[in-house]
Amino acid sequence: MTKKDIYIVGAGTYGETMVELAESLNYNVKGFYDEDIGKQGNVVMGIPIINQYSMLEKADIKNNQFIVAIGNNELRQKIMKTINDLGGITPTLIHPNATVSPSAEVGQGVYIQANSTVWTKVKISDYTIISPGVVIAHHTTVGESSLISTQTAVGASLDIGSKVFLGMNSTIITGVSYIGDNTTIGAGAVVINNAEKNSVYAGVPAKKIR
């Protein structure tokens, strides 16, 4: 099988995890792009850092495939949309050890890591990251450019907004209706009520802290 060439934007530690995800799906990572001038010319996991992403021309992007290994939801969304607008491709990557229901809907530029479970009729919107060991129960919707951290459990029939961050090992119980756009749920929090947009929640049970 011929390997597919791909580039990674972001040469930090998360970029290293994305090398392994890409390689598990038979991609050939040709190089990194990173804005840190001090990283230019270095090699990460045997792969060169080619240049700053901001130095790329449209011709460098068009018809090429890119992973954006950036945890910041807003920045990841901005870069991925720009790549798409310039004719670049942001493929969805689903680890071979993840379980995704055949009735689930998964957008473009979504990353689903190992040992995650996406149940019946879940909808995951573009540019979202699902970390290892996440469980998303049936009929839940996850908005664009969100990030669900490792070992998080999301209940059934929820509406998770766009650019939401769910911290490691957090729990959103079935019975909650929504988590608002741009909201952060702290690590280990247990959410038992709806969460407003543009807010931060933490604790057990979770409470709004700002």
Side-chain angles (χ1 to χ4, degrees):
M1 183 182 295
T2 303
K3 291 190 175 183
K4 301 158 283 188
D5 290 343
I6 200 163
Y7 298 88
I8 298 178
V9 179
T13 54
Y14 195 71
E16 295 183 20
T17 73
M18 295 306 294
V19 170
E20 293 187 340
L21 177 59
E23 290 179 344
S24 76
L25 296 168
N26 205 43
Y27 283 91
N28 176 42
V29 181
K30 296 279 287 183
F32 285 97
Y33 293 95
D34 196 284
E35 290 303 284
D36 186 345
I37 294 175
K39 292 182 178 180
Q40 304 309 308
N42 291 344
V43 174
V44 176
M45 297 184 76
I47 299 164
I49 300 175
I50 300 170
N51 204 340
Q52 294 174 288
Y53 166 74
S54 58
M55 299 299 290
L56 287 174
E57 303 287 344
K58 180 177 181 179
D60 300 317
I61 294 174
K62 188 175 182 180
N63 297 324
N64 284 319
Q65 300 197 81
F66 292 88
I67 294 166
V68 180
I70 294 174
N72 181 288
N73 289 331
E74 187 167 357
L75 182 56
R76 185 175 68 258
Q77 180 189 64
K78 180 180 178 181
I79 292 173
M80 295 180 93
K81 284 189 171 182
T82 299
I83 288 170
N84 293 155
D85 289 345
L86 294 175
I89 302 161
T90 52
T92 287
L93 306 180
I94 300 174
H95 194 281
N97 291 336
T99 300
V100 178
S101 167
S103 65
E105 297 179 24
V106 180
Q108 70 164 321
V110 172
Y111 309 138
I112 302 179
Q113 295 279 7
N115 302 316
S116 289
T117 301
V118 177
W119 284 18
T120 307
K121 293 191 175 180
V122 167
K123 296 181 180 179
I124 301 177
S125 301
D126 298 347
Y127 316 139
T128 286
I129 294 174
I130 308 297
S131 300
V134 168
V135 176
I136 304 177
H138 59 89
H139 297 85
T140 281
T141 297
V142 181
E144 185 174 291
S145 306
S146 291
L147 194 159
I148 302 182
S149 300
T150 302
Q151 299 294 331
T152 291
V154 179
S157 302
L158 276 73
D159 183 5
I160 307 294
S162 63
K163 293 185 279 189
V164 166
F165 178 85
L166 302 183
M168 185 179 295
N169 203 37
S170 58
T171 301
I172 319 298
I173 69 165
T174 297
V176 172
S177 296
Y178 65 86
I179 305 294
D181 296 345
N182 303 303
T183 282
T184 294
I185 305 299
V190 177
V191 179
I192 63 173
N193 296 302
N194 297 335
E196 299 173 4
K197 65 182 181 180
N198 303 315
S199 301
V200 177
Y201 289 77
V204 180
K207 296 181 180 179
K208 184 178 176 179
I209 58 174
R210 63 177 183 271

